[in-house]
Structure formats: C-alpha cells, structure tokens
Amino acid sequence: MKMKIELFFLLTLALALHSTIALASKSNVSSSTRKVIVVGGGPIGLASAILLANAPHFYDVDIYEQTPKEDLCNFNPAIAYMYNVNARGQRFTKKFQSLQDKLLRDGLAASDSSIVIADGDPSKKILISKKPFIMSKAESYWIPRHKMVNLLQEGIKEHNNSDDANCGKIEIHSGFTCEAVSPIGDDSSINVTLKDEKGRDQDVSGQLIVGADGVNSQVRECLKNGSSLFGEWKNFKSKKFAVKKWVSPSVGLKLKALQLPSGFSIEDSDGSPISLQNSCIASIRSIKANDINSIKIGCLPMTDDVTIRPGNVITRPNHKFWTINSGKEMKEYVLENLKRMPFDMISDEEWDRFAKAKGTSFPYCQYSPGLQASPENGNCGIVLLGDSAHSFPPDIGQGINAGLSDVVQFDKTLRSTEGNLGTKLRAYERIQGPETKALIRIARFGFPYQYDLPVPILKLRKKLWTANAATRLLLNKLSFSVIPKCMIMSTADHEVSYRKVARKADLTTTMLMTLLLSVVWKSFGKSICALVGM
C-alpha cells in the first residue's frame, strides 16, 4: 500500500513538472523573440496576423492601427470602399473554412448581380442587364471594406478562443500611429515607436515587424530614411525602399461618396419606378454628358442587409464639383446634372456633409523594390505587405486580392524555406519582387478609361484602348487561346501569375507591332526607299 502511495506521488509530481515545463516553454514563445508587431489593422494586417499566429509559425501578434475602432468596424463614407474578392483573394479565406463561410455570408456573389444604366436624358429608357459582365468562371464576392474588417476580426476572436494551446494570441490596438522603426542592439528584435490618441509615446518590440500600413506606409518610410539606424545590417540598402511611381490616366482622380438609402428608385422614361436593388451595379448619368463639368453617380453591388449605399462620384481633381462647399449649392448642382435622381430621400445634413467632405484621390501606380530587411544573423526582420509594397488606382479590381496574395505567398515562403527568419524574408523578396513589378505594369495599362470622363483627349484614348482590347480578344478566339486576351481579362485567371500575364501581353504587343511595321513596309517600302534615295 505504501509503495502504491509513493508511486502515485511520483506520478503526480512528474505530471506537475511536465505542466510547469510546458508553461515555461509557452512563456518563452510569448516573449519578444516570438512576437510579431503588425503596423496597420486593415484587411491585410489582420489577414497576416491570422496566418502568423497559426501553425506552423505560432507567433503572438500585436496589431496597431491608427484608425479608431468605431471608424474601422463601421461604415465610414470617407473610406466607403467596395472589395471584389476573387479567386486570388480567396486563396487566403479558403485556408480557414470559417472565414470562407463568413465571406459567403457577408458578401454578394458577382453572378447574382445585375447592371443598370440610366441615361441622363429622362426620356430615354433605362437599360437593365440581368447578366453581369464576368471575366472568370470562378466566383467572386462583393463586400464593403468595413464588413471585410469585421469578418477578419470575428476570425481573430474565434482564433483566440480556440482550444489549441500552441497557437499564438492576437491583440488589436486601435488609435496608434507608427512614429519610428529601429533595430535593437543585439539584433534579436526590432523596436517600433508608437503614438497613441493622447500623443503619448509607447515602444513595443518584436522579432518580426509587418508593415501593412497602406499607401503612405510609415514603416517603409523608416526603412527608406534608415541608413543611420540600419547601417550596421549587412547588405541593407535604404534606396531600395524608395518607391517607383508611374502615372496612368486614372491616377489623381478624386472620389467622394454620397450616402443613399438602399433600394432607392429612379423613374424610367414612361414614369414607372425602377428599384435599384442593392445587388445591381448602377450608373446614373448626367443630362450634360458632354459638358466638361458634368458628373455621374455609380453604385457597386452589396448585400440586401446594408441600409446605406454609397453613391460614388469620380472626377478629375480640377473639376467644378470640388469647389462647392455648401450643402444647398451641392444639392442644386447635382440636381442640375442628374434629373432622374429623387433627391428628397437625402437629408440636408447629408448634403452638407457631402459638400464638405474632402474625398480621396486615386494613388500613383507605385511599388517598393525592397520588400524586406533583416540583419546578418537573421534573427529578426521587417516585411512589407499589401499597399505598403504596391498601390494603384482601383481600375483592375486587384487591390484586396493582390494584398491577400502577398499574405499567402509570405506564409508559403516561411513554411517552405529552410534557415532562419532572415533567409526566409530574403527568399520572399526574390519570389514576390518580380510579381509586384508586373502587377504595377498591369495596373498602368489594365482598364484606366472606365470612368467615362467628358474630356475629349480621354475619350479618344478610350476608343484606341477599346480597339486594342477588342483586337486581342479576337486574336485570342482565332488562335484558340494561343494569343492571350488583354491584361485586364487575363488577370481573372487566378492560376496565372501577374508576371506571366504581363509577359504574355508584352509578347503580343511585340507581335502586333512587328505585323504593323511589316504591313507599312510592304505598302510604302518602295516609296520610302525612293524618298531616301533622293
């Protein structure tokens, strides 16, 4: 009996020691050497946190976002962006079935949308197409930005409540601005200096810093200006974080959203009401279609449970529209342009807010040649994801999808590359750098004339672009897909990389130019030779 009691005591002691060691091990994992600091709490920052906290990485992740929580998670007309999450973006959500289920719950399938085009002349019939123009067989989903953020935050709550003791914890901190990023002496971690809403400084550190803080990334700026701070890191080159910029026809255009009630109606030519269901893509045009200061309102599709629908006005920055600052004057101006709109449904307060709103500008087509930085020992590092690494106007519908593709590729590289963190970061840059460069090339030429601005030169360029796209589409059909479609259509195939899309388009361009020069030479070669001979 005594022996049994001693045996039971020893077994209990062994279990207690095992638990203590496990707790100590978990405690070490939660230290700064296994900590990730994500700067930016938008969709890309949240998505990267979810992957890094899960197997096989098991990082504890702290996310720091500048926007207050109430503005980030609720509808905000100042950032009333709509995402179309296609098959590229769904490579992330499908890694977690609960996230994919939430996307299907909160998003609207593109195949369920329709198109409504209302001419500015009320005497003309409204055009309604039940079949939307879809470039891919794979389903995509329309979802407002704030719903995408909520979806990912729900996923984080579920992750934190899971029973898997190995998974890292994710904490979200709102109202923090990144001020500086700097290495710590022993190169085992990196310090981030933050400023809270009250102006107080706070220092946090982690083994990995993820810059997911958007177009004007402060993390990227710290690297660009960090020669003195990161100078001791071998092969660190601050110049590679200076963004390369290009102008496209849509760069610099400005957008402002008028808050409309969901399911509002407009009058058809016979006076009957046409209800603009949330599921439709709507374009309500101006009666002054050829006036350089005319405007139109566009609405993208969303689910029926949304009560406020953004009506987007997109114009050039020097448009008369941006000089109007009073609600009364704005209402009169819009009513003068859009005769079909029933403006009694919009309150005076909303007109006043709409008039005073500054709107947002479409960014340059830009990318950072540098996507990561790490010391020689490879114990810590910094990576840029999403808009911090690349940004462009919303012409090609790849913004959210390109960012989520970054996250998926980063996860894949961390899993498949042998070596320390620095080795893995450099491998990611080698893989994703060319992809980022190709993405920006696609953005420059993809679909920049879709906004139908009443500017003569832009109208001419749109006709030339349309002729080019139609030629490529015809050649694609005649060659049984040997010759690719135009780039904007080719990006719909999620199994084809951006680099391959751009390369194929360039080869087609070379072929067309060679064919054109051959025709010119055959037609006018003798005349040219005779002229040169003279």
Side-chain angles (χ1 to χ4, degrees), residues 82-228:
M82 286 293 299
Y83 294 142
N84 183 256
V85 184
N86 62 25
R88 290 181 192 272
Q90 289 174 62
R91 285 184 294 189
F92 166 75
T93 55
K94 287 181 178 179
K95 285 180 173 289
F96 306 92
Q97 188 57 49
S98 65
L99 292 182
Q100 183 67 13
D101 291 342
K102 289 178 177 59
L103 178 63
L104 271 61
R105 177 198 70 191
D106 296 340
L108 176 76
S111 59
D112 291 336
S113 63
S114 58
I115 299 175
V116 176
I117 299 176
D119 191 276
D121 185 350
S123 66
K124 292 186 177 180
K125 190 171 182 60
I126 294 173
L127 301 177
I128 302 175
S129 172
K130 297 293 184 181
K131 295 182 179 180
F133 178 66
I134 298 175
M135 293 184 290
S136 172
K137 294 180 181 178
E139 188 66 271
S140 64
Y141 297 89
W142 291 98
I143 185 169
R145 185 184 191 275
H146 71 282
K147 278 198 167 190
M148 189 70 185
V149 169
N150 280 327
L151 177 158
L152 292 167
Q153 288 196 357
E154 281 183 40
I156 287 174
K157 288 179 182 177
E158 292 174 1
H159 167 87
N160 286 338
N161 292 329
S162 70
D163 296 330
D164 190 343
N166 290 319
C167 287
K169 293 298 180 183
I170 305 173
E171 299 290 338
I172 303 173
H173 311 270
S174 298
F176 285 87
T177 304
C178 176
E179 295 290 309
V181 179
S182 56
I184 293 176
D186 61 356
D187 287 341
S188 62
S189 57
I190 299 166
N191 184 76
V192 180
T193 301
L194 304 159
K195 191 180 290 292
D196 66 15
E197 292 174 300
K198 296 182 179 179
R200 297 172 299 193
D201 287 342
Q202 177 179 334
D203 288 326
V204 296
S205 62
Q207 182 189 11
L208 174 63
I209 309 300
V210 176
D213 49 339
V215 178
N216 301 310
S217 170
Q218 184 61 25
V219 175
R220 187 186 65 230
E221 284 299 299
C222 290
L223 291 170
K224 188 185 77 171
N225 301 320
S227 294
S228 59

Side-chain angles (χ1 to χ4, degrees), residues 281-509:
I281 300 172
S283 175
I284 304 170
R285 298 176 175 176
S286 173
I287 196 169
K288 302 178 178 181
N290 295 318
D291 189 330
I292 198 168
N293 281 315
S294 65
I295 61 169
K296 68 175 183 178
I297 284 181
C299 298
L300 293 173
M302 53 181 60
T303 53
D304 289 335
D305 63 323
V306 177
T307 57
I308 298 174
R309 192 171 188 193
N312 298 320
V313 176
I314 300 172
T315 74
R316 65 189 191 286
N318 60 346
H319 194 287
K320 179 183 176 181
F321 174 76
W322 298 101
T323 66
I324 301 172
N325 296 312
S326 78
K328 182 180 179 182
E329 187 180 354
M330 177 62 78
K331 181 177 181 180
E332 291 174 353
Y333 179 76
V334 176
L335 183 59
E336 182 183 335
N337 274 269
L338 307 175
K339 298 295 185 181
R340 291 185 187 267
M341 289 288 288
F343 289 112
D344 291 342
M345 64 184 176
I346 303 170
S347 67
D348 291 339
E349 290 78 13
E350 171 57 16
W351 282 116
D352 194 50
R353 183 210 63 79
F354 182 59
K356 294 176 180 177
K358 294 180 179 179
T360 57
S361 297
F362 290 176
Y364 285 97
C365 297
Q366 65 178 42
Y367 76 96
S368 171
L371 299 179
Q372 63 81 36
S374 57
E376 187 175 4
N377 64 20
N379 290 336
C380 60
I382 305 167
V383 67
L384 302 178
L385 301 176
D387 286 352
S388 301
H390 46 72
S391 59
F392 42 88
D395 314 338
I396 59 173
Q398 293 295 320
I400 183 68
N401 301 299
L404 292 176
S405 293
D406 287 350
V407 175
V408 170
Q409 181 59 57
F410 185 52
D411 171 62
K412 182 179 179 180
T413 305
L414 291 179
R415 291 169 181 265
S416 61
T417 306
E418 297 293 332
N420 58 31
L421 179 60
T423 301
K424 296 178 179 184
L425 290 174
R426 289 187 287 274
Y428 172 74
E429 186 177 60
R430 284 195 301 272
I431 295 168
Q432 204 67 0
E435 189 76 350
T436 299
K437 186 177 180 180
L439 170 64
I440 297 306
R441 180 161 176 74
I442 294 169
R444 290 167 60 195
F445 305 106
F447 195 15
Y449 299 105
Q450 62 186 278
Y451 306 104
D452 289 326
L453 300 182
V455 179
I457 187 63
L458 293 180
K459 286 186 174 182
L460 175 60
R461 289 176 179 175
K462 182 179 180 180
K463 289 180 179 178
L464 294 173
W465 182 94
T466 303
N468 179 35
T471 300
R472 291 171 188 258
L473 184 58
L474 177 62
L475 291 173
N476 175 262
K477 297 292 185 183
L478 294 176
S479 67
F480 299 98
S481 299
V482 173
I483 297 174
K485 303 173 185 176
C486 62
M487 287 193 290
I488 182 64
M489 292 182 177
S490 297
T491 56
D493 187 350
H494 67 283
E495 295 181 354
V496 180
S497 68
Y498 293 128
R499 184 167 32 166
K500 195 170 184 179
V501 168
R503 188 188 303 122
K504 284 186 173 183
D506 288 342
L507 288 173
T508 303
T509 299

